[in-house]
Amino acid sequence: MSDKPLNDHRVLVLVTNYGVEQDELVVPVRRLRESGADVTVAAVTSDPIRTLVGDKDPGETVEPTTTLDALDPGVYELLLIPGGTINADQLRLQSKALETVKAFAATGRPIAAICHGPWALVEADVLNGKTLTSFASVRTDIRNAGAKDWVDEAVVTDSANGYTLITSRTPKDLDDFVGAVAEVLAGS
């Protein structure tokens, strides 16, 4: 077996079973796995995850690795939260998802969120003093949640206040987003 840059690094991806933006789930999972990372996709139920493209068109179906209730967040090094308006809105209502976000921030482990994914961070109240980006319509929520600033950039990495946060705006930023996630993960 060849040695890959992210061998032995464990990533947790949190989603609901409907409405996650296809490429924001599929692309990071595929690229991180290709780099050797052990990626777990945790959904609300064990039913297949129905992705969407552009929040409306049916996308790929993805099988979850586990459920939110069955996971042990303590065994993962990095938390990744894809967007999709429906997914992000429903994920922030899941108490186990919010507990997981809070646990990562409290223990100084990195969190990565793209597009509408930062809504879970808003709800978990872990954005105080952070500079980040997201889909533009989420910026007011982010500022109201105590973030230092919202910026319109492809990727933002901020290590203020005890944990590293990596954020991006849309699927168009996936190359920069996955690159920043891999860099932070390799350094952890």
Side-chain angles (χ1 to χ4, degrees):
M1 180 174 176
S2 67
D3 206 21
K4 295 184 178 180
L6 298 180
N7 278 357
D8 302 322
H9 290 284
R10 299 190 75 194
V11 176
L12 174 62
V13 180
L14 295 183
V15 295
T16 60
N17 292 84
Y18 180 79
V20 64
E21 183 66 30
Q22 173 186 278
D23 287 351
E24 293 174 8
L25 171 60
V26 174
V27 171
V29 167
R30 184 186 72 240
R31 289 189 188 166
L32 292 169
R33 284 179 176 161
E34 287 171 352
S35 294
D38 177 6
V39 181
T40 297
V41 178
V44 176
T45 71
S46 59
D47 296 325
I49 300 161
R50 293 292 308 158
T51 69
L52 296 176
V53 177
D55 281 334
K56 61 184 180 350
D57 296 323
E60 294 178 34
T61 299
V62 176
E63 292 296 325
T65 313
T66 190
T67 63
L68 296 178
D69 287 336
L71 73 91
D72 174 6
V75 302
Y76 299 95
E77 295 169 61
L78 183 139
L79 174 62
L80 193 147
I81 306 171
T85 307
I86 296 168
N87 171 69
D89 189 50
Q90 293 302 306
L91 190 64
R92 66 183 173 162
L93 299 175
Q94 299 295 320
S95 60
K96 181 67 177 199
L98 299 179
E99 290 168 19
T100 301
V101 170
K102 290 176 185 180
F104 269 80
T107 57
R109 291 174 288 160
I111 300 172
I114 186 169
C115 198
H116 288 81
W119 266 342
L121 308 175
V122 166
E123 197 67 32
D125 195 25
V126 297
L127 292 180
N128 192 38
K130 293 287 195 185
T131 297
L132 64 151
T133 194
S134 67
F135 193 77
S137 66
V138 181
R139 75 176 159 239
T140 300
D141 296 331
I142 287 169
R143 287 180 175 145
N144 288 341
K148 179 180 174 186
D149 198 9
W150 180 92
V151 294
D152 187 12
E153 296 177 15
V155 68
V156 176
T157 302
D158 185 315
S159 295
N161 297 331
Y163 75 97
T164 300
L165 177 61
I166 306 139
T167 53
S168 282
R169 301 169 299 193
T170 72
K172 292 178 183 176
D173 300 326
L174 278 167
D175 287 340
D176 293 328
F177 180 67
V178 176
V181 168
E183 183 178 319
V184 167
L185 191 57
S188 66

